[in-house]
Amino acid sequence: MSRIVIVSNRTPGKGPAAGGLAVALRKVLSNHEGFWFGWSGKLTETPSSKPHFEDIDGLKVAQIDLTADDHRAYYAGFSNSILWPSFHLRLDLATIEGYWYEGYRRVNQQFAKALMPLLKPDDVVWVHDYHLIPLASELRRLGAKNRIGFYLHIPFPTADALYAIPHHGDLMRDLSRYDLIGMQANRDVAAFTDFAEHQAPSTFATASTETIDFSKTEVTAFPIGSDPEAFTRLSTSPAAKKMIHRMRRALTDQRLILGVDRLDYSKGLPQRIEAYEKLLANNQRFRRNVHLLQVAPPSRDSIKEYQETSDTLDAMAGRVMGRFAEPDWAPLTYVKRAYGQPSLAGLYRLARVGLVTPLRDGMNLVAHEYVGAQDPEDPGVLVLSRFAGAAEIFPEALLVNPFDTDETAEALRMALDMPLEERKQRWQALWAAATKHNVDDWALSFLKRLSPGIEDQAQVDKDTIYMASVA
Ligand code: F6P
C-alpha cells in the first residue's frame, strides 16, 4: 500500500494550526499511512542533515532545522519578497536580491537530501506551495522515481509577472519535474497554459532559452474548500455562543460587517476601509446602526511591505474613527490578533455581512468558513472579491472589484438592505457550492489523480473537529 508523504514549509503545530494548509492535510494523514515533512520552525547554527521525528497530536511529522541566514533568504527573501508579490501581481512591492535565490535553492536541496532516505519506492509525495517549487527536481536529481505532485495554494501569475521573477526559467523547468500540478482556479491553469504554450525567451542573457517540456506534467484546477458542516457545528459551540453573547451586548442593534484576514497587502484591507468610509459618507442612515469589525492577525512582519501595510491601516482606521465616531458610537473595531476557530465561527454567524475583498487570492477559505457558519433561517450576505479563487465557486455572492471602492460600498449597502428571502436563496446556493467543494474531497481527488491506486482509506473521519484558519 502506498504511503502518502506530505511536504510543506510549515508543519502542523500542537494546538491550533498555523494555517489553512495545515488544517486540510492533517485530516488526510490521520487516516492514511505516511508522514508529514517540513521545517521544524527552529533556527540553529549547524542544523543536522537528519530529520527528527515527532508525534504531533497523533500525526507523524519529520522536521529539519535551518540556519537563520538560509531561512531569511528562502522564506522572507525569495519566497515572500519575490514570489509572493509577483504571483499576486504586485511587482511594485517585490524586492529583488540576487543571493536570495541561492538560499531558496539551498533550502530545497536540504529538504530533498533529508527526505530522500526516508522515501520508499512506492511512496506518493505531495509537495505544497511556492516555497518548494524546486523540490521535485532536487529529489529526482537524487534518484527519486516516485509519483510527485505539487499544489499551488496561491494564484499563478500572468506571463509578464512571471518573466519579472529572477530564474523564472529554472522555476518553470522545476515545475515540469512534477507528475501533477494542482491549482486553485481555472484562471490559474489558463495562466500556466498561456506560459507553457508561448514560452518567451528569457530576459537573462545567462539563462537557457530552450523550450521547457511539460508533456509529462498534468496541470489541473483542484479548488480547495473547507469543512462547512464542521463550521456549522463550531458556530453553535459554547465558545462561539460566548463570543456571540459578548458581541451582542456590545453591538446592541447595530448590524455587524466582518472581515477576517492575515495582515497582508494582498487582502485589500485599505481599499476595504475606504469602501466602508464611503458607505457611511453616502448613507447617513447607516451611521450608528452598523459596525465594521476587522480581525487582522499580523503576518510576516519582518518584511518592510507588511509593516507599511500595517501602518497604513492604523492611519486609515484612525481617520474613519475621527470622521464618524461619536462619544457613544464607534464605526469600526480593528483587532490585530488571532482568534481561535470557535470564536471566529461565532463572529461569522453573527455577522450580517462577510466582507472578503482580497485584491488577488488563491482561494480564500474565510469565504468558505463564513458560508459554513451561517444560520440557515437568517443567513448573512457574502461580499466577495471577483479576484479571489472563491469567486469561481461562489457566483451567488455579491461579487465586487475590490479596487473600485464605490462598487464595494454599493455592495455593502445592498447586503445590508437585502431582504431575508433573497439572503436565504443566495446562501442556499453558496452552501451547496461549499459542501460540493469540501476539503476532504479536495485532498482525495488530488491524491487519486496523482496515484490512481490510492484508495478511499484516506476518507476522513467526519467527526474530526475542523480547525481551519486564516490562510
Ligand atoms: O496562502 C498561502 C500560505 O502560504 C498558506 O499556506 C499559509 O497558511 C499562509 O499563506 C500563511 O503564510 P506563512 O506561512 O508565511 O505565515
Side-chain angles (χ1 to χ4, degrees), residues 185 361-364 367-368 384-385 387-395 399:
D361 212 333
M363 170 53 62
N364 197 298
H368 286 252
L384 177 63
S385 164
F387 305 126
E392 288 187 12
I393 311 291
F394 294 141
L399 295 183

Side-chain angles (χ1 to χ4, degrees), residues 17-34:
L21 172 63
V23 175
L25 295 170
R26 167 170 211 116
K27 298 178 90 183
V28 171
L29 277 185
S30 62
N31 291 278
H32 206 286
E33 229 196 297

Side-chain angles (χ1 to χ4, degrees), residues 223-460:
I224 198 171
S226 70
D227 183 343
E229 277 141 13
F231 251 85
T232 310
R233 288 196 296 275
L234 268 187
S235 70
T236 53
S237 64
K241 283 185 177 153
K242 197 167 154 199
M243 175 57 98
I244 290 174
H245 180 68
R246 251 173 85 185
M247 287 298 291
R248 279 215 174 107
R249 258 205 338 237
L251 288 170
T252 58
D253 56 356
Q254 296 169 76
R255 282 168 298 168
L256 180 64
I257 301 172
L258 175 68
V260 179
D261 309 78
R262 274 188 310 105
L263 217 172
D264 190 300
Y265 50 78
S266 67
K267 302 295 181 183
L269 298 175
Q271 289 83 350
R272 191 178 300 179
I273 292 192
E274 190 174 300
Y276 181 62
E277 187 175 7
K278 286 184 174 172
L279 173 82
L280 295 179
N282 300 342
N283 302 275
Q284 180 122 22
R285 67 193 166 95
F286 287 132
R287 296 185 207 161
R288 304 189 73 88
N289 68 38
V290 292
H291 189 87
L292 171 68
L293 170 60
Q294 178 62 55
V295 177
S299 171
R300 303 175 191 163
D301 46 15
S302 66
I303 300 173
K304 180 173 90 346
E305 285 71 20
Y306 284 76
Q307 294 154 11
E308 285 170 0
T309 304
S310 176
D311 293 347
T312 304
L313 278 167
D314 290 350
M316 290 188 75
R319 187 179 78 201
V320 175
M321 287 293 279
R323 184 168 172 197
F324 295 108
E326 293 180 37
D328 60 345
W329 180 62
L332 61 81
T333 308
Y334 169 40
V335 190
K336 279 185 181 173
R337 51 169 281 212
Y339 284 85
Q341 290 304 320
S343 303
L344 277 184
L347 290 173
Y348 290 142
R349 193 167 178 102
L350 186 65
R352 171 57 68 86
V353 183
L355 189 52
V356 183
T357 52
L359 303 180
R360 193 166 162 82
D361 212 333
M363 170 53 62
N364 197 298
L365 287 175
V366 168
H368 286 252
E369 294 167 2
Y370 179 73
V371 170
Q374 294 311 296
D375 174 357
E377 296 310 317
D378 186 20
V381 181
L382 178 63
V383 175
L384 177 63
S385 164
R386 60 177 70 254
F387 305 126
E392 288 187 12
I393 311 291
F394 294 141
E396 294 82 5
L398 293 183
L399 295 183
V400 295
N401 167 6
F403 295 94
D404 181 346
T405 52
D406 290 311
E407 187 180 284
T408 307
E410 177 55 13
L412 282 172
R413 186 203 61 73
M414 280 174 66
L416 290 164
D417 285 341
M418 193 177 285
L420 178 62
E421 257 330 289
E422 185 179 349
R423 282 193 274 130
K424 278 186 177 173
Q425 271 169 19
R426 284 182 184 267
W427 176 79
Q428 279 156 9
L430 296 175
W431 169 261
T435 46
K436 179 169 168 222
H437 293 279
N438 69 77
V439 69
D440 302 338
D441 291 350
W442 166 77
L444 273 184
S445 60
F446 184 92
L447 285 166
K448 278 184 170 171
R449 187 73 76 91
L450 178 58
S451 176
I454 283 184
E455 287 172 22
D456 272 5
Q457 61 168 296
Q459 187 64 43
V460 290

Side-chain angles (χ1 to χ4, degrees), residues 10 18-21 75 80 84 129-131 153-154 262 300 471:
R10 284 187 200 271
L21 172 63
Y75 175 78
N80 284 313
W84 179 275
D129 236 353
Y130 56 104
H131 317 86
H153 288 257
I154 66 175
R262 274 188 310 105
R300 303 175 191 163

